[in-house]
Amino acid sequence: MLKFNIKSYLFNNKKKNKNYIKNIINDIYNYGDLSLIYYIKKIDGIYLNNINNIIIKKNIMKKSYFILNKNKKKILKELYIRLKNFHNYNYFNSWQINKKYIYGQKFISIDNICIYVPGGLIPYQSSIFMNSIPSIIYKPKKILMITPIKNGIISNLILSISYICNIKEIIFSGGVHTLSSIVYGTNYIKKCEKICGPGNYYITESKKILFGNIGIDMLAGPSELIILTDKYLNPNILLFDFYSQLEHDKNSLTILLCNNKKFLNHLYYYIYKNLNFQKNKKNIFFALNNSCLIFSNIKNSIEYINFFSSEHLMLCIKNANKIIKFIKNCGTIFINYKTSIAYGDYCSGPSHVIPTNKSCRYISSLNVEQFYKKISLIKNLKNLNLSLLSSYISKKENFFCHSYSSILRK
Amino acid sequence: MLKFNIKSYLFNNKKKNKNYIKNIINDIYNYGDLSLIYYIKKIDGIYLNNINNIIIKKNIMKKSYFILNKNKKKILKELYIRLKNFHNYNYFNSWQINKKYIYGQKFISIDNICIYVPGGLIPYQSSIFMNSIPSIIYKPKKILMITPIKNGIISNLILSISYICNIKEIIFSGGVHTLSSIVYGTNYIKKCEKICGPGNYYITESKKILFGNIGIDMLAGPSELIILTDKYLNPNILLFDFYSQLEHDKNSLTILLCNNKKFLNHLYYYIYKNLNFQKNKKNIFFALNNSCLIFSNIKNSIEYINFFSSEHLMLCIKNANKIIKFIKNCGTIFINYKTSIAYGDYCSGPSHVIPTNKSCRYISSLNVEQFYKKISLIKNLKNLNLSLLSSYISKKENFFCHSYSSILRK
């Protein structure tokens, strides 16, 4: 196993504490808009006298979409359609069965969805697509988007994408304070039923704390990638998949498995050699601490993959199809040499909001399911058997009123 | 609105504190079996020298099923089949599309499921059915059941039901300590990927704390029922639906809405009159504090129902079908006069593990979905457009390696 000898870096996570988050949540809960304004000043350094100043409505997005040049419109539309097509295959419908007695499930969309779009100097355009498009089948009454802005400059592109993705309202402020105002509601900000989308450590922690007051999609952590490769792919191509995963942020990681030592050593050399020429080398540099190259045969690699349960998995090997059936735990699989991880992040179809930190063992990446709920329906026509059954079991559980109420219905 | 004038009762919840739970979790995490034995002695008052003494394997369940008398077998089988039939309608399959490029989703069952079955002197038989049967389509590798026993007596029926429901292993110990040993695993107890099933305050709190290390179905609270009725149903029947909801436990509640004052007064009188003759009157007595009868017309009632978002909803009115489409937030709907709430609890089909405490606004009752995960698949065949798209957006997000890696794949 080849580790990268870069001086270990103390993660901020260790310093971060939950009480800080809880205090913010409590303040928002108690003082609403007032404390929201306070925290926006304190944390984002923006002075507001009115929350409405950071809320942008649909009509403004619409305008900025129409002044967008034709070519860009075309690209965005195509992206939209590609992603839409994928999620359309997840269409499930309400159903009802009329037998001796009637039962069924009513599929119904969740009312108000809030999507959290992280961002550095600008919000990530792709995250707007990836968070909102799975809702196209079960359209929520309202999609609200919250996103942090560092420099206060709002690009035309962001607004246009939001318009295409049918977002009703954008609040240009991120962080725990905005999130919790979505949960409890304020005079200016309407309550939401569910929050989707990844965020930093603070967002994830507060999502966990707030879960129960609001629905959440998943608890997202730093991004992960496992690459399983053989010697036939050009290391110079692989190199950039490796880098592109690490440039996300300092905590992201890539693990590369290969059954060829020579190839690994090549790659190892290239990774150091080209590091300096990368624009995001700072992130890559730190993220290399979490990454490694491992020499192992296919069989062990599969075991490792299922154990590690990573967010992304690239199968850059011959007849990758053959081993898919052995993969149990993984978010998204990229099959064959031609599939770059970037395709999955941006345009190929499935959402790039994928469970991390081993949680793909029990949860799926963001999809249509997250946007509807099922209401069960039961309607009894005269059916003696039903009442006998329920009265039998209920007596066993010492619930005598249950038993009696079902007998009365004979 | 008719409230019940019963001396208000101080809920234990107020006294309970999270640190107590966190300490238990930490101890289990650090000392495994040792601290599990310690807590079983401390909390359940049972002295064990070996965890295996409270673990029961499939073969023993099998035996106890075969010595069960024929009639009981028949009843259990019928229950099993009824519930199974309902969940079979939720069957979704993996899919894959071959266009310019290939994508799809692989539906795969979650490996190890742990179901928590609450219980007083005996575990609730119905909960075994309701928790395990939704897993029949995507069969987990192993279903483990944990359940508290107060008196140490294990009924033959429990074991037989567990056998029918295909449970591999039962641990006869409940509480936070057993739950957390499932999450972290010990020498005797194998880790699980997900925990399903409701529990008391302690279980719910620890589920929330442990969420992220293990998947959870939902955060269950006290049971809720809203009854919407008109004057045509005999109050003596309704009375027992009212009681049967309240006999669950002291914190459960029932709210009855009716547009007829005379009927309400009748019912109010009956509720007091018959209270003393109920076997579980203690629970009913306390639970009446949370309950009330409200006079309101249908229109307002529907608004109220959608706002309150209760676990159960009974529509004991003429043409109940007509108003179903107006119900947005609710766990399970019982339609028409003939459908007792007991049917839903025991035998009609849908699971009785239903979101409470307004969480049905964003989550569904326990169903097949909770037992599988979806792995996305992406396979690119030579497709110029894809790489152009992704490189365009990635540049906008300042992810240059992404952009480069997709261009290289041209």
Side-chain angles (χ1 to χ4, degrees):
Chain A
M1 174 165 134
L2 301 164
K3 275 290 281 165
F4 297 90
N5 318 319
I6 290 167
K7 207 167 97 291
S8 166
Y9 158 76
L10 178 67
F11 294 114
N12 304 339
N13 299 15
K14 286 171 187 161
K15 295 187 212 125
K16 294 167 184 168
N17 72 68
K18 285 186 190 171
N19 291 334
Y20 169 73
I21 294 170
K22 281 180 183 158
N23 291 336
I24 297 178
I25 292 173
N26 288 332
D27 288 354
I28 297 289
Y29 177 76
N30 294 323
Y31 309 111
D33 290 319
L34 279 176
S35 56
L36 183 57
I37 288 172
Y38 167 76
Y39 279 112
I40 287 172
K41 188 168 187 324
K42 189 181 168 199
I43 296 170
D44 311 331
I46 300 166
Y47 178 71
L48 291 173
N49 44 18
N50 186 337
I51 299 291
N52 276 334
N53 301 351
I54 52 166
I55 300 178
I56 284 185
K57 301 272 185 212
K58 185 118 189 169
N59 53 352
I60 298 171
M61 302 179 215
K62 193 171 178 180
K63 277 178 196 136
S64 49
Y65 173 71
F66 283 116
I67 62 171
L68 206 67
N69 76 51
K70 214 169 163 207
N71 189 23
K72 277 185 181 169
K73 271 186 193 163
K74 194 167 150 292
I75 293 174
L76 298 184
K77 266 290 171 205
E78 176 164 5
L79 267 170
Y80 177 78
I81 285 158
R82 277 181 185 278
L83 304 175
K84 191 167 168 292
N85 288 340
F86 178 89
H87 291 291
N88 272 327
Y89 290 103
N90 265 328
Y91 181 71
F92 314 124
N93 209 346
S94 308
W95 57 274
Q96 187 168 313
I97 303 300
N98 305 356
K99 285 184 181 174
K100 273 184 236 149
Y101 58 102
I102 295 168
Y103 59 48
Q105 280 178 326
K106 181 182 168 190
F107 286 52
I108 180 171
S109 67
I110 296 169
D111 268 359
N112 302 302
I113 300 282
C114 168
I115 66 173
Y116 190 91
V117 174
L121 287 173
I122 50 162
Y124 293 144
Q125 291 93 331
S126 56
S127 300
I128 306 175
F129 279 116
M130 294 297 187
N131 280 308
S132 57
I133 290 178
S135 73
I136 48 140
I137 292 181
Y138 298 94
K139 285 198 174 56
K141 208 192 288 172
K142 175 182 175 184
I143 305 179
L144 171 70
M145 166 175 149
I146 62 180
T147 179
I149 38 166
K150 299 272 177 301
N151 53 7
I153 300 161
I154 299 160
S155 86
N156 202 351
L157 194 62
I158 297 296
L159 296 176
S160 316
I161 292 173
S162 313
Y163 174 72
I164 293 172
C165 294
N166 192 28
I167 285 161
K168 282 247 163 46
E169 209 173 276
I170 309 177
I171 301 177
F172 278 101
S173 160
V176 179
H177 45 292
T178 321
L179 192 66
S180 29
S181 58
I182 297 298
V183 177
Y184 299 115
T186 71
N187 300 336
Y188 291 96
I189 298 172
K190 198 163 167 291
K191 253 183 169 182
C192 287
E193 271 74 39
K194 187 161 189 172
I195 169 110
C196 296
N200 59 15
Y201 168 86
Y202 291 100
I203 294 300
T204 308
E205 272 307 320
S206 43
K207 269 167 92 175
K208 188 171 176 181
I209 293 166
L210 292 164
F211 175 47
N213 302 309
I214 193 166
I216 66 172
D217 53 346
M218 63 187 76
L219 300 173
S223 183
E224 306 149 347
L225 166 64
I226 295 183
I227 304 175
L228 176 60
T229 184
D230 54 25
K231 60 173 187 279
Y232 302 108
L233 179 56
N234 175 354
N236 280 317
I237 295 183
L238 209 50
L239 178 70
F240 280 96
D241 294 315
F242 200 95
Y243 281 155
S244 62
Q245 174 62 16
L246 298 186
E247 75 180 339
H248 278 119
D249 71 63
K250 292 171 177 170
N251 304 330
S252 56
L253 66 88
T254 308
I255 291 162
L256 187 136
L257 303 158
C258 181
N259 55 4
N260 181 303
K261 277 206 170 119
K262 196 149 160 289
F263 182 88
L264 279 176
N265 290 320
H266 263 130
L267 191 64
Y268 191 66
Y269 166 73
Y270 284 131
I271 287 169
Y272 273 115
K273 187 170 154 229
N274 298 306
L275 184 53
N276 259 318
F277 310 119
Q278 306 311 321
K279 288 213 180 66
N280 301 321
K281 62 174 172 236
K282 189 156 168 269
N283 281 349
I284 299 172
F285 178 82
F286 283 122
L288 276 173
N289 285 306
N290 322 325
S291 309
C292 61
L293 311 178
I294 299 175
F295 171 71
S296 90
N297 59 29
I298 301 287
K299 194 172 159 301
N300 296 341
S301 303
I302 290 171
E303 252 176 48
Y304 184 84
I305 287 164
N306 284 329
F307 167 75
F308 193 86
S309 318
S310 76
E311 183 187 10
H312 306 97
L313 171 64
M314 287 179 73
L315 299 178
C316 303
I317 55 173
K318 273 192 176 166
N319 353 334
N321 288 327
K322 282 195 182 131
I323 72 159
I324 290 174
K325 63 173 177 292
F326 300 113
I327 308 295
K328 297 256 173 301
N329 300 327
C330 167
T332 300
I333 307 179
F334 300 78
I335 307 159
N336 89 9
Y337 302 115
K338 293 204 193 70
T339 319
S340 149
I341 184 154
Y343 298 164
D345 284 348
Y346 295 114
C347 52
S348 59
S351 175
H352 72 203
V353 182
I354 308 170
T356 58
N357 192 10
K358 282 186 181 299
S359 58
C360 59
R361 287 171 302 137
Y362 51 79
I363 206 169
S364 321
S365 56
L366 190 67
N367 67 79
V368 174
E369 269 173 20
Q370 297 276 2
F371 294 91
Y372 66 72
K373 61 206 178 195
K374 301 169 178 177
I375 301 178
S376 314
L377 304 172
I378 305 169
K379 183 176 183 179
N380 186 34
L381 317 168
K382 213 153 204 53
N383 180 352
L384 183 63
N385 209 344
L386 209 55
S387 64
L388 288 179
L389 274 172
S390 70
S391 80
Y392 170 79
I393 294 282
S394 49
K395 273 209 206 80
K396 291 278 175 200
E397 293 183 353
N398 304 328
F399 285 146
F400 301 100
C401 297
H402 281 75
S403 158
Y404 200 61
S405 76
S406 29
I407 297 228
L408 279 173
R409 288 284 193 342
K410 258 186 193 176
Chain B
M1 172 163 138
L2 301 163
K3 276 290 282 168
F4 297 91
N5 318 319
I6 290 167
K7 205 167 98 292
S8 163
Y9 157 76
L10 178 67
F11 294 113
N12 303 338
N13 298 15
K14 286 173 187 162
K15 292 186 212 128
K16 295 167 184 168
N17 71 68
K18 286 185 189 172
N19 291 334
Y20 170 73
I21 295 171
K22 281 179 182 159
N23 291 335
I24 297 178
I25 292 173
N26 288 332
D27 288 354
I28 297 290
Y29 177 75
N30 294 323
Y31 309 111
D33 290 320
L34 280 176
S35 57
L36 183 56
I37 289 172
Y38 167 76
Y39 279 112
I40 288 171
K41 189 169 187 318
K42 188 181 169 200
I43 296 170
D44 311 332
I46 300 165
Y47 178 72
L48 292 172
N49 42 21
N50 186 336
I51 300 290
N52 276 333
N53 300 350
I54 52 166
I55 299 179
I56 285 185
K57 301 275 186 204
K58 185 120 189 169
N59 54 350
I60 299 171
M61 303 179 214
K62 192 172 178 180
K63 278 179 196 134
S64 49
Y65 173 72
F66 284 115
I67 62 172
L68 206 67
N69 76 53
K70 212 171 166 204
N71 188 24
K72 277 185 181 168
K73 270 185 195 163
K74 193 167 152 291
I75 292 175
L76 298 184
K77 266 290 170 204
E78 177 163 4
L79 267 170
Y80 177 78
I81 286 158
R82 275 180 185 280
L83 302 176
K84 192 167 169 293
N85 288 340
F86 177 89
H87 291 290
N88 272 328
Y89 289 102
N90 265 330
Y91 181 72
F92 314 124
N93 209 347
S94 307
W95 58 273
Q96 188 169 310
I97 303 301
N98 303 356
K99 285 185 183 172
K100 272 187 239 147
Y101 59 102
I102 295 168
Y103 58 47
Q105 280 178 325
K106 182 181 169 192
F107 287 52
I108 180 170
S109 67
I110 296 169
D111 268 358
N112 302 302
I113 300 282
C114 168
I115 65 172
Y116 190 91
V117 174
L121 287 172
I122 49 162
Y124 294 144
Q125 290 93 333
S126 56
S127 300
I128 307 176
F129 280 116
M130 293 298 187
N131 279 309
S132 57
I133 289 179
S135 73
I136 50 141
I137 291 181
Y138 297 94
K139 284 196 176 57
K141 208 192 286 171
K142 175 182 174 185
I143 305 179
L144 170 69
M145 166 174 150
I146 62 179
T147 178
I149 38 165
K150 298 273 176 303
N151 53 7
I153 301 160
I154 298 161
S155 85
N156 202 352
L157 193 63
I158 297 295
L159 296 176
S160 317
I161 293 174
S162 312
Y163 174 71
I164 293 173
C165 294
N166 192 28
I167 285 161
K168 283 246 164 42
E169 209 173 278
I170 308 177
I171 302 177
F172 278 101
S173 158
V176 180
H177 45 293
T178 321
L179 192 66
S180 30
S181 57
I182 297 299
V183 177
Y184 299 115
T186 72
N187 300 336
Y188 292 95
I189 298 172
K190 198 164 167 290
K191 252 182 170 184
C192 288
E193 271 74 40
K194 187 161 190 172
I195 168 111
C196 296
N200 60 14
Y201 168 86
Y202 291 101
I203 295 301
T204 308
E205 272 307 319
S206 43
K207 270 167 90 176
K208 187 172 176 181
I209 293 167
L210 293 164
F211 176 46
N213 301 308
I214 192 166
I216 65 172
D217 53 346
M218 65 187 76
L219 300 173
S223 182
E224 306 149 349
L225 166 65
I226 296 184
I227 304 175
L228 175 60
T229 184
D230 53 26
K231 59 175 188 276
Y232 302 108
L233 179 56
N234 175 354
N236 280 317
I237 294 182
L238 210 51
L239 177 69
F240 281 95
D241 294 315
F242 200 95
Y243 281 155
S244 62
Q245 174 62 16
L246 298 186
E247 73 179 340
H248 278 121
D249 72 62
K250 291 170 180 172
N251 304 330
S252 55
L253 67 88
T254 308
I255 290 162
L256 187 136
L257 303 157
C258 181
N259 55 4
N260 180 301
K261 276 205 170 121
K262 194 149 160 291
F263 182 88
L264 281 176
N265 289 322
H266 263 133
L267 191 65
Y268 190 66
Y269 166 73
Y270 283 130
I271 287 169
Y272 273 115
K273 187 169 156 233
N274 298 306
L275 183 54
N276 257 318
F277 310 120
Q278 306 312 320
K279 287 213 180 64
N280 300 321
K281 64 175 170 226
K282 189 157 166 268
N283 281 349
I284 299 172
F285 178 82
F286 282 122
L288 276 174
N289 287 305
N290 323 325
S291 309
C292 61
L293 312 178
I294 299 175
F295 170 73
S296 87
N297 60 28
I298 301 287
K299 192 172 162 302
N300 296 341
S301 303
I302 289 170
E303 251 175 49
Y304 184 84
I305 288 163
N306 284 329
F307 167 75
F308 193 86
S309 319
S310 76
E311 183 187 9
H312 306 95
L313 170 65
M314 288 180 72
L315 299 177
C316 302
I317 56 173
K318 273 191 177 167
N319 352 331
N321 288 327
K322 282 192 183 138
I323 73 159
I324 290 173
K325 64 172 175 292
F326 300 112
I327 308 294
K328 296 255 172 302
N329 300 328
C330 166
T332 300
I333 307 179
F334 300 78
I335 307 158
N336 88 8
Y337 301 116
K338 294 203 194 71
T339 319
S340 149
I341 183 155
Y343 298 163
D345 284 348
Y346 294 114
C347 52
S348 58
S351 175
H352 73 202
V353 182
I354 308 170
T356 58
N357 194 9
K358 284 185 179 299
S359 57
C360 59
R361 288 172 299 136
Y362 52 80
I363 206 170
S364 320
S365 56
L366 191 66
N367 67 79
V368 174
E369 268 174 21
Q370 297 276 3
F371 295 91
Y372 66 72
K373 61 205 178 195
K374 301 169 177 177
I375 300 179
S376 314
L377 304 172
I378 304 169
K379 183 176 184 179
N380 185 34
L381 316 169
K382 212 152 204 58
N383 180 353
L384 184 62
N385 208 343
L386 209 55
S387 62
L388 288 179
L389 274 172
S390 71
S391 80
Y392 170 79
I393 294 282
S394 49
K395 273 210 205 80
K396 291 277 176 199
E397 293 183 353
N398 304 327
F399 286 147
F400 302 100
C401 297
H402 281 75
S403 158
Y404 200 61
S405 76
S406 28
I407 297 232
L408 278 173
R409 288 289 196 331
K410 258 184 193 176

